[in-house]
Amino acid sequence: MFKFWKNKKGSERGDTSLSTEGEPIEAVPDLIIELTGREIQRSVAPVLGMTVLDLAERNDVDWNSFCKRGTCARCRCMVAEGIQYLSEPNLAEEGRLDPEEIEEGYRLGCQSRIEAVGPIKIRHAPYF
């Protein structure tokens, strides 16, 4: 059910970081991510390097988006727990979200990548 990839340097099974080539690495399944869409809530296994939006779509969580470039903000979400396990806000997020929103834990699902394994709770929170 859960796949593990080895990078060319031969990382050990269950490595909790991105491979050197940026390929997604499926993480250890005992630490899960809780994704809450508009009507569907699921606990899913983290996949390192994958965006929150891609993870939601992969697991059939009702997460709305149009552009996947960080401009429409339909994938805006609130990270209630585990923000330290996600990538830092990038230029697309800083250009679309107010600094106060980022400080409160709002992110764009299409831009936020899973970078480490840990308990994460994210709720879809679009403007409209």
Side-chain angles (χ1 to χ4, degrees):
M1 179 173 181
F2 298 100
K3 296 178 183 175
F4 295 86
W5 288 274
K6 290 185 176 182
N7 63 24
K8 292 195 179 200
K9 291 184 178 180
S11 67
E12 295 298 316
R13 184 176 180 206
D15 187 7
T16 59
S17 62
L18 286 175
S19 72
T20 56
E21 297 171 6
E23 294 177 34
I25 300 172
E26 195 131 355
V28 181
D30 39 328
L31 292 172
I32 57 171
I33 297 175
E34 186 178 296
L35 297 175
T36 304
R38 291 180 184 255
E39 297 179 10
I40 298 172
Q41 179 177 351
R42 290 220 165 85
S43 295
V44 303
V47 180
L48 301 178
M50 187 173 273
T51 67
V52 171
L53 176 61
D54 288 339
L55 194 59
E57 289 176 346
R58 178 181 186 181
N59 290 282
D60 297 321
V61 178
D62 53 341
W63 213 280
N64 194 11
S65 97
F66 283 137
C67 71
K68 292 191 177 185
R69 293 185 319 265
T71 56
C72 76
R74 291 190 184 270
C75 64
R76 179 176 172 257
C77 55
M78 167 55 120
V79 182
E81 181 181 334
I83 201 161
Q84 68 271 25
Y85 302 116
L86 300 177
S87 60
E88 292 292 321
N90 62 20
L91 292 175
E93 288 179 285
E94 290 173 356
R96 185 62 175 92
L97 300 173
D98 292 332
E100 295 82 18
E101 288 178 295
I102 294 173
E103 200 172 296
E104 290 172 14
Y106 287 97
R107 300 290 304 272
L108 296 178
C110 68
Q111 301 297 307
S112 304
R113 294 191 179 279
I114 310 298
E115 288 197 337
V117 177
I120 303 172
K121 291 183 181 182
I122 305 172
R123 175 181 50 85
H124 186 228
Y127 291 111
F128 31 88

